[in-house]
């Protein structure tokens, strides 16, 4: 998340670097301006003493096209990337009641030793696209879907 103040630091060779302050939970960095924030947060829950359900949060800036263009670009090769790719046709309620554009894809595929499940939700909050992905073994699909439901229900945006 950005802090509004900017600063300039001298480079020692007569130049200067325009900096922005970037905050994260554990600290603050002063970095040269111009980077893209491609942060990924990975949260993992252990179930059945051996299996996991993983929630991955990503944010991407919508740099071209529409939100639908972005989602299509991200997902159009899934059928060729994931062995045995099969979409799940389950209908899910809109947790935002239409206030935020979202697109959802849920699918199964063959992993190395078992069938795996991904449930992805793309949320557009201009200019960012937030990508929520829950991953689990297909047998834990119910837990994965419940985790996605809870994560989206608890989503709040900071006002700063």
């Amino acid at each position: 998340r950005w802090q509004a103040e900017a600063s300039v630091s001298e480079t020692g060779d007569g130049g200067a670097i325009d900096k922005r302050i970037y905050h994260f939970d554990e600290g603050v960095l002063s970095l040269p301006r111009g980077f893209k924030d491609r942060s990924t947060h990975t949260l993992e829950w252990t179930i059945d003493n051996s299996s996991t359900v993983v929630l991955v949060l990503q944010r991407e800036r919508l740099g071209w096209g529409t939100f639908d263009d972005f989602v299509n670009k991200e997902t159009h090769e899934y059928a060729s990337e994931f062995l045995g790719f099969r979409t799940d046709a389950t209908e899910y309620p809109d947790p935002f009641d239409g206030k935020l554009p979202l697109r959802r894809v849920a699918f199964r595929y063959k992993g190395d030793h078992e069938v795996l499940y991904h449930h992805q939700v793309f949320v557009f909050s201009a200019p960012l696209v937030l990508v929520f992905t829950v991953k689990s073994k297909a047998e834990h699909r119910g837990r994965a879907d419940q985790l996605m439901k809870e994560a989206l229900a608890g989503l709040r945006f900071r006002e700063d």
Side-chain angles (χ1 to χ4, degrees):
R1 126 181 177 268
W2 290 100
Q3 181 174 323
E5 298 90 42
S7 65
V8 176
S9 62
E10 301 300 321
T11 62
D13 60 1
I17 299 174
D18 183 16
K19 293 188 171 190
R20 296 280 183 212
I21 304 299
Y22 182 78
H23 291 251
F24 57 102
D25 286 343
E26 294 78 19
V28 177
L29 298 173
S30 180
L31 300 170
R33 189 177 194 160
F35 67 88
K36 291 180 182 178
D37 183 354
R38 299 191 45 123
S39 301
T40 300
H41 300 275
T42 304
L43 309 170
E44 181 177 283
W45 290 261
T46 300
I47 54 175
D48 299 339
N49 294 322
S50 63
S51 296
T52 59
V53 176
V54 177
L55 172 63
V56 178
L57 309 170
Q58 299 167 260
R59 64 176 163 247
E60 300 284 342
R61 189 166 292 277
L62 184 66
W64 60 271
T66 66
F67 175 53
D68 283 329
D69 291 336
F70 178 91
V71 173
N72 290 335
K73 179 180 179 273
E74 293 296 311
T75 61
H76 83 280
E77 292 187 8
Y78 281 3
S80 62
E81 291 176 6
F82 295 101
L83 182 64
F85 176 85
R86 183 175 60 134
T87 58
D88 252 353
T90 307
E91 290 295 319
Y92 301 95
D94 178 354
F96 308 119
D97 297 322
K99 294 178 183 137
L100 285 175
L102 74 92
R103 301 295 177 268
R104 190 182 301 263
V105 61
F107 60 94
R108 299 169 195 229
Y109 64 99
K110 294 177 184 175
D112 291 335
H113 304 289
E114 65 255 332
V115 177
L116 301 174
Y117 176 71
H118 281 198
H119 181 163
Q120 281 189 309
V121 176
F122 297 82
V123 178
F124 185 51
S125 178
L128 296 177
V129 177
L130 304 175
V131 183
F132 296 77
T133 304
V134 177
K135 306 173 183 183
S136 70
K137 290 181 179 178
E139 66 191 76
H140 299 300
R141 180 185 143 210
R143 287 187 184 209
D145 289 343
Q146 182 62 32
L147 176 58
M148 180 66 80
K149 180 180 178 182
E150 291 176 14
L152 293 174
L155 177 62
R156 303 291 180 269
F157 293 95
R158 295 185 205 189
E159 300 289 331
D160 47 36

